[in-house]
Amino acid sequence: MEQKAFYQNMNECTGCRCCQVACKDKNDLEVGFLFRKVTDFEGNAFPDVWSASLSMGCNHCDSPACVANCPQGALYKEDKHGFVLQDHDLCIGCQTCVNACPYGAPVYFPEENKTRKCDGCIDWVENGMLPACVGACSTRCLGFGAAADIAAEHADAARDLSVLPSSEETGPNFYILPKAELA
């Protein structure tokens, strides 16, 4: 397996949400449902203000809490890319995965009484394309590739930020070059 990972340079992100819209479009999500969410942060007082945007979807963790806690075995880590995928037919809508994921990746769809989540655009990746969010990034601050390559290319990137849960338990495959205020 060649574990895939995402990368974000928060210093380059403008918070435009192109990644969020591309994901929503690719997955044909209705209003109110998102697999990739851009969260804005700001601090201090004028004239020393700062702002930052964090684009986050499923982190396809090394030890995904959603997989470990799904009572039906509907979620699993696939072997080729290390993506966390879902067998939608096995999902019973209990939302255990929603409650277990520290990053909020699984999304509950009440009309279906099932959850769904980012699949890393595995169908596109299998055909040599980038995930929709990465391909649509207007500032190219989002990246995607082999986790080992991203870790080597971005040695200054972090997996932990002050605004995120600790990566120790799940091992997210998301590397972030943070704004100094969030490091």
Side-chain angles (χ1 to χ4, degrees), residues 76-121:
Y76 62 97
K77 194 156 172 74
E78 62 88 27
D79 294 330
K80 187 171 181 184
H81 307 291
F83 288 132
V84 175
L85 302 178
Q86 180 188 44
D87 182 333
H88 200 62
D89 292 335
L90 293 178
C91 179
I92 60 171
C94 68
Q95 301 181 60
T96 303
C97 59
V98 173
N99 296 321
C101 176
Y103 303 104
V107 177
Y108 178 67
F109 289 77
E111 288 183 14
E112 298 175 45
N113 189 34
K114 293 187 182 253
T115 62
R116 292 173 45 203
K117 60 174 286 307
C118 160
D119 64 4
C121 294

Side-chain angles (χ1 to χ4, degrees), residues 157-171:
R159 291 171 89 179
D160 284 306
L161 291 182
S162 60
V163 295
L164 294 176
S166 170
S167 66
E168 193 172 302
E169 189 174 314
T170 59

Side-chain angles (χ1 to χ4, degrees), residues 6-23 34-41 52-59 103 132-143 161 163-164 173-177 182:
F6 289 91
Y7 168 78
Q8 182 187 6
N9 181 340
M10 291 181 78
N11 297 292
E12 300 290 325
C13 183
T14 63
C16 70
R17 291 173 169 67
C18 285
C19 56
Q20 187 174 287
V21 172
C23 174
L34 298 169
F35 291 162
R36 177 161 289 277
K37 301 169 191 106
V38 176
T39 305
D40 296 318
F41 302 93
S53 297
L54 177 65
S55 172
M56 184 173 281
C58 179
N59 296 321
Y103 303 104
C133 57
V134 176
C137 180
S138 62
T139 63
R140 302 295 177 239
C141 71
L142 277 181
L161 291 182
V163 295
L164 294 176
N173 287 294
F174 182 41
Y175 295 82
I176 308 159
L177 180 61
L182 295 176

